[in-house]
Amino acid sequence: MTTVLIVDDQPLQRYGFRILLESVAETEVVGEAAHGAEAVRRAAELRPDVVLMDVRMPGMDGIEATRRIAESGGRSRVLVLTTFDLDEYVHAALRAGASGFLLKDARPEELLAGIRAVALGDAVIAPALTRRLLDEFAQLLPRPAGDPDEDARLNSLTDREREILVAIGQGWTNGEIAARFVLSESTVKTHVGRVLAKIGARDRVQAVIFAYDRGLARPNSGGQ
């Protein structure tokens, strides 16, 4: 059973999500919130597996709420729902600690699959799609200043692990990485796990953000 907190300032939108999630046995809606501050409070109280987070809300928006939930160190993972043609905040939301995002026009089965993926600790969106979205908004968002802690984490990687991180940042799948470096997929999974642990990334999405911020990935640099 995956527990979910629904966060959206539109009551009808929340109702629609609740009806969908309660139509399947494996998800349980444990609460709702109408804005970011309420989402932070309810996430701390209810400790849901997944917080389904809107971005544009009055008062505290979904980005700040995501940051506070992620920084709390709790069990909850955030899945951001956004409207692509409006939302230049995607990159900022991922950097704030979201485990991924889906578009609000996603099919019901995509939303359910996304919630399951986030609950299991995976990224919701495919690595290649993550790269394309980062490229789309690269020029719209300021790049953060150098962080000595991040530099130390980067320096802790072996040469092979650094290569793996670059590949993740370029949007390659485990299969593509295995083929490129002539490794088994199980070996690649082991390397990926070590990379995530060393850089302090919750999942591959956060690893892409890290690689992007440290200059290891650039717009249109992906692909084999």
Side-chain angles (χ1 to χ4, degrees), residues 202-216:
R202 290 160 61 98
D203 49 42
R204 288 179 81 110
V205 171
Q206 295 299 302
V208 171
I209 298 291
F210 182 91
Y212 195 88
D213 286 345
R214 306 324 297 165
L216 301 179

Side-chain angles (χ1 to χ4, degrees), residues 1-7 13-32 48 50-53 79 81 102 107-116:
M1 179 70 69
T2 299
T3 55
V4 181
L5 171 65
I6 300 171
V7 184
Q13 189 80 71
R14 295 198 304 272
Y15 178 75
F17 288 141
R18 177 180 283 274
I19 292 297
L20 172 63
L21 297 180
E22 291 182 344
S23 71
V24 293
E26 63 266 27
T27 58
E28 177 188 2
V29 176
V30 293
E32 299 180 10
V50 177
V51 178
L52 202 57
M53 181 75 74
L79 170 56
L81 288 176
L102 291 173
R107 296 190 301 273
E109 61 269 23
E110 291 175 330
L111 177 58
L112 294 172
I115 289 171
R116 288 193 297 270

Side-chain angles (χ1 to χ4, degrees), residues 63-190:
I63 295 173
E64 180 60 25
T66 295
R67 181 178 294 108
R68 295 192 187 191
I69 291 171
E71 289 178 349
S72 73
R75 59 177 290 177
S76 302
R77 292 178 177 271
V78 179
L79 170 56
V80 173
L81 288 176
T82 181
T83 303
F84 181 79
D85 59 352
L86 294 176
D87 218 342
E88 67 271 21
Y89 305 115
V90 172
H91 184 260
L94 295 175
R95 182 179 283 136
S99 293
F101 78 94
L102 291 173
L103 306 183
K104 282 194 172 181
D105 62 358
R107 296 190 301 273
E109 61 269 23
E110 291 175 330
L111 177 58
L112 294 172
I115 289 171
R116 288 193 297 270
V118 168
L120 292 172
D122 294 330
V124 172
I125 51 180
L129 179 56
T130 306
R131 286 292 311 138
R132 289 198 294 273
L133 288 164
L134 289 175
D135 294 348
E136 177 73 19
F137 297 111
Q139 306 307 316
L140 300 178
L141 295 163
R143 199 175 305 282
D147 184 335
D149 180 58
E150 287 192 351
D151 291 335
R153 282 181 276 160
L154 183 60
N155 291 335
S156 73
L157 301 177
T158 66
D159 289 343
R160 173 62 80 191
E161 288 166 351
R162 189 182 179 104
E163 290 175 331
I164 297 294
L165 175 59
V166 170
I168 293 171
Q170 291 175 337
W172 295 5
T173 65
N174 284 354
E176 290 169 337
I177 295 172
R180 172 65 178 82
F181 296 114
V182 195
L183 301 169
S184 68
E185 287 202 40
S186 62
T187 298
V188 171
K189 289 180 181 178
T190 298

